[in-house]
Amino acid sequence: MTFVVLENCIKCKYMDCVDVCPVDCFHEGPNFLVIDPDECIDCTLCEPECPAEAILSEDDLAPDQESYLQLNEELSQQWPVINASKEPPEDAAEWDGVPDKLQYLEK
Ligand code: SF4
Ligand code: SF4
């Protein structure tokens, strides 16, 4: 099992999740974070830390969220590890909850 970063992280990227992960499984792209499913130990610590409610266990994914499991796996192979939080984007709060953000994902 693994935890998965979902659409609402796109352009929010508050990064509170990064500081609690004990095994450095977050990877950072230009405007999104992902979890490496091969590294995640299912400790559950990150899910309640995310202010955007953008992290779920793979077991709790809705049918329309299941594609994010593959997206996390794919992008975690391409992006570098991030293990300490940085400043979030200045407009992060404005993007929290905006629907259909997948179109803005930068790879
Ligand atoms: S705390 Fe949530 S919104 Fe912020 S980077 Fe982590 S998953 Fe993305
Ligand atoms: S569940 Fe634990 S190990 Fe997995 S990404 Fe979250 S904090 Fe890291």
Side-chain angles (χ1 to χ4, degrees):
M1 205 177 77
T2 180
F3 280 65
V4 181
V5 184
L6 303 171
E7 182 172 5
N8 201 34
C9 177
I10 296 171
K11 284 180 155 291
C12 284
K13 220 177 116 179
Y14 294 114
M15 292 182 259
D16 300 32
C17 54
V18 166
D19 291 327
V20 299
C21 182
V23 291
D24 296 351
C25 48
F26 283 91
H27 293 247
E28 182 188 23
N31 63 3
F32 187 47
L33 259 59
V34 292
I35 291 170
D36 181 345
D38 294 331
E39 295 292 329
C40 178
I41 58 169
D42 305 324
C43 74
T44 76
L45 291 176
C46 59
E47 182 180 344
E49 288 300 316
C50 175
E53 299 185 353
I55 301 177
L56 279 181
S57 163
E58 69 174 311
D59 287 347
D60 296 331
L61 296 179
D64 65 348
Q65 295 171 324
E66 284 177 1
S67 62
Y68 280 83
L69 179 57
Q70 193 183 351
L71 190 64
N72 277 239
E73 184 171 23
E74 177 192 325
L75 297 176
S76 66
Q77 304 304 313
Q78 300 171 20
W79 289 347
V81 167
I82 174 171
N83 55 20
S85 58
K86 305 173 186 172
E87 283 293 308
E90 282 184 9
D91 60 352
E94 291 167 36
W95 285 98
D96 187 6
V98 172
D100 299 326
K101 285 197 284 185
L102 189 57
Q103 59 187 311
Y104 305 118
L105 176 63
E106 297 173 32
K107 295 186 181 176

